[in-house]
Amino acid sequence: LANIDYPQIMLMHSQQFGGVVKYDYGSFALPLGTSRSLGLGLIRLGVDDIPVTQLSNPALKLGEEYVDANGITRLNTPYVARTISDAEYALFLSYGLKRNEKLAFGANVKLIHKNVGDNSAWGLGFDIGAIYKPAGNLLLGLNLQDITTTVLAWDSGTREIIVPALKAGVAYPLYIRALGGSIAPAIDFDIRFEGRSYAAQFAAGPVSLDSHLGWEYQFQNRFALRLGSDVGNLSAGAGLNLAKLQIDYAFLSHDDLGNSHRISARLSLESLKPRQR
């Protein structure tokens, strides 16, 4: 965000785990002054058309026989009475600052809304992040999410706690003349404090860690190929840069939950006023 030179619009859609989960994102970013930028983004993560079942005769146990109003003997089996959605929304207001050529940092304030069927919840959270370039092309990234612990208040009177999570990573882009472009290996980690135990790659007590590995080859800043591992699952992708428009596709495999597909586009509005250098 801190490094953009022109206003940008970004859109993304993802069909996760065989299309069961839909993930949508849209944002607008605007450079301000010489080294600052402001962004506004919206995320929706949802599982739609979840069936809610009822027994044909709620007074009886599952599988019991009964005689209906027409005198027909039936088994007490469930049927789909209606469908509901489990959806989560987050509205972000983001600020990025480029301190110098080595350091950039920023923060989010986010309004969160969740609804499951007839119940809903609201919450307010904060994130901070930084990118540091200590030497050469080496890039270090740090992102601390929900730094103050985010509380979701449900209309049922209960409260849901989102504890802070830390994301840290390193990348090293390197131009190779013989390949006609650059390569960029990267690795990052999600560090959580939720007691995920067996649900994470590595865990010790309440602390868990998941890893993400990636490698990108970019040809003359026009076309990119990507390959990686997301928590041990194969990921791959490609990107196309058409001057003002950048289009990216990503694929993630999963043996148990099904494959995920993601497509995104970023448009630079170069006809508008650029950042003043």
Side-chain angles (χ1 to χ4, degrees):
L1 182 63
N3 289 311
I4 64 173
D5 291 323
Y6 297 92
Q8 289 185 353
I9 295 173
M10 186 171 183
L11 300 172
M12 185 273 288
H13 174 71
S14 177
Q15 300 267 12
Q16 297 182 338
F17 309 127
V20 174
V21 181
K22 309 292 193 305
Y23 190 115
D24 294 287
Y25 169 80
S27 67
F28 174 73
L30 180 69
L32 304 172
T34 59
S35 58
R36 296 170 173 82
S37 296
L38 197 64
L40 186 67
L42 178 66
I43 288 175
R44 181 189 186 269
L45 176 68
V47 179
D48 299 312
D49 299 322
I50 303 171
V52 177
T53 60
Q54 293 182 356
L55 287 174
S56 301
N57 190 330
L60 300 177
K61 293 181 179 180
L62 176 66
E64 284 190 24
E65 290 186 349
Y66 71 99
V67 179
D68 67 13
N70 298 318
I72 301 174
T73 300
R74 299 184 181 277
L75 288 178
N76 194 28
T77 56
Y79 68 96
V80 177
R82 62 191 178 108
T83 59
I84 62 172
S85 295
D86 179 356
E88 304 178 8
Y89 299 85
L91 179 65
F92 289 82
L93 179 62
S94 307
Y95 176 79
L97 172 65
K98 186 176 182 180
R99 191 69 174 179
N100 49 49
E101 293 304 315
K102 289 191 173 183
L103 177 64
F105 53 86
N108 290 325
V109 55
K110 56 190 179 184
L111 179 66
I112 301 172
H113 176 66
K114 297 178 69 172
N115 66 269
V116 181
D118 298 326
N119 295 107
S120 61
W122 291 90
L124 188 68
F126 303 91
D127 311 319
I128 58 173
I131 295 179
Y132 181 56
K133 193 175 181 180
N137 294 328
L138 181 64
L139 293 170
L140 305 178
L142 195 66
N143 175 214
L144 184 58
Q145 300 179 338
D146 302 290
I147 56 175
T148 59
T149 302
T150 301
V151 179
L152 295 177
W154 287 87
D155 56 7
S156 61
T158 61
R159 293 194 170 192
E160 180 181 346
I161 303 298
I162 303 176
V163 300
L166 178 64
K167 296 175 181 284
V170 58
Y172 195 83
L174 183 64
Y175 180 80
I176 300 180
R177 185 183 299 274
L179 296 177
S182 61
I183 61 170
I187 181 171
D188 65 79
F189 303 95
D190 299 338
I191 304 170
R192 304 183 186 276
F193 309 91
E194 302 172 339
R196 291 195 170 194
S197 59
Y198 65 88
Q201 274 187 307
F202 310 99
V207 182
S208 65
L209 184 145
D210 290 317
S211 66
H212 312 276
L213 308 173
W215 175 87
E216 177 190 69
Y217 166 67
Q218 190 160 153
F219 177 72
Q220 295 183 356
N221 202 31
R222 292 296 181 185
F223 181 75
L225 292 175
R226 305 179 181 104
L227 187 66
S229 169
D230 183 83
V231 197
N233 300 301
L234 174 68
S235 61
L240 184 63
N241 191 349
L242 303 173
K244 300 177 183 179
L245 179 65
Q246 180 177 330
I247 301 172
D248 291 285
Y249 167 77
F251 167 82
L252 172 64
S253 66
H254 200 290
D255 293 336
D256 300 317
L257 299 179
N259 299 329
S260 298
H261 302 270
R262 175 179 295 181
I263 187 166
S264 63
R266 183 173 61 188
L267 177 64
S268 294
L269 304 177
E270 297 185 8
S271 60
L272 299 182
K273 186 177 180 180
R275 183 193 297 281
Q276 298 298 314
R277 294 294 183 180

